[in-house]
Amino acid sequence: MLITLKSMANNKFVCAENAGAKPLIANREAAAEWETFDAVDLGNNRVALRAMASKKFICAENAGVLPLIANRDAAGQWET
């Protein structure tokens, strides 16, 4: 299922900046490919998000210590 994410803090869309090569940021007025994500159902009440800009999964890098980035080919624990 394709989705967009809009920040309640600034009312802007979340973007997979630089085609997913930079951390996600809510800085776009409108949603296009870089602001669109595929919500992938992994079963057992788990979901992973894949950025349409890079076709890679969003990762909570270093167990969530680092900013979110769309740089993973597969969905594991950090991408769920």
Side-chain angles (χ1 to χ4, degrees):
M1 167 178 47
L2 295 181
I3 64 169
T4 58
L5 303 171
K6 197 170 194 181
S7 170
M8 297 297 289
N10 64 5
N11 207 36
K12 294 190 179 187
F13 288 95
V14 173
C15 176
E17 198 74 57
N18 196 27
K22 291 187 177 181
L24 274 64
I25 185 168
N27 68 353
R28 299 298 168 97
E29 299 292 333
E33 184 178 35
W34 286 12
E35 297 78 36
T36 304
F37 304 90
D38 184 14
V40 179
D41 184 352
L42 302 176
N44 296 321
N45 294 318
R46 298 179 335 133
V47 174
L49 296 177
R50 182 173 28 222
M52 292 295 89
S54 64
K55 307 298 189 260
K56 295 192 181 262
F57 288 96
I58 295 172
C59 178
E61 198 75 60
N62 197 21
V65 174
L66 299 175
L68 298 175
I69 190 164
N71 67 355
R72 298 299 170 96
D73 292 322
Q77 184 177 357
W78 289 2
E79 297 76 37
T80 304

